[in-house]
Amino acid sequence: AIQKLENNAQTLEQKLSNDFVDIDRNNNANFSNGRYVRNIFDKLVLNHAIRISTIDHPTKEQLQLLLATDYTN
């Protein structure tokens, strides 16, 4: 179970890192990185909530864990 969590964390981190690198490469003067990161976080939380809403009795871990699949860019 720990290995699965570590793999998920690495996958999520890689997805986010790739997205941030792409944004940095295409950066323009009007880009607002704070707002962009906040929007990503809000989308992660929303997708997490939608996923969790399908579970009858989610565990504390399920309620706290963001999965790589919760991230969509």
Side-chain angles (χ1 to χ4, degrees):
I2 291 174
Q3 184 64 36
K4 186 176 178 181
L5 291 176
E6 288 174 355
N7 289 342
N8 174 68
Q10 290 171 352
T11 302
L12 180 56
E13 181 180 2
Q14 189 62 47
K15 283 179 157 185
L16 289 167
S17 179
N18 289 342
D19 199 25
F20 292 146
V21 167
D22 288 344
I23 291 299
D24 188 46
R25 285 187 193 140
N26 301 320
N27 195 2
N28 63 49
N30 297 322
F31 179 72
S32 174
N33 61 351
R35 179 172 294 174
Y36 182 76
V37 171
R38 178 57 192 246
N39 289 341
I40 287 176
F41 178 75
D42 287 346
K43 193 179 218 182
L44 269 166
V45 171
L46 176 62
N47 291 339
H48 172 259
I50 291 168
R51 178 175 53 81
I52 293 299
S53 71
T54 64
I55 302 171
D56 286 334
H57 302 286
T59 65
K60 182 177 179 180
E61 181 180 274
Q62 290 171 317
L63 292 169
Q64 295 176 332
L65 183 65
L66 294 172
L67 299 178
T69 55
D70 293 330
Y71 178 66
T72 57
N73 49 341

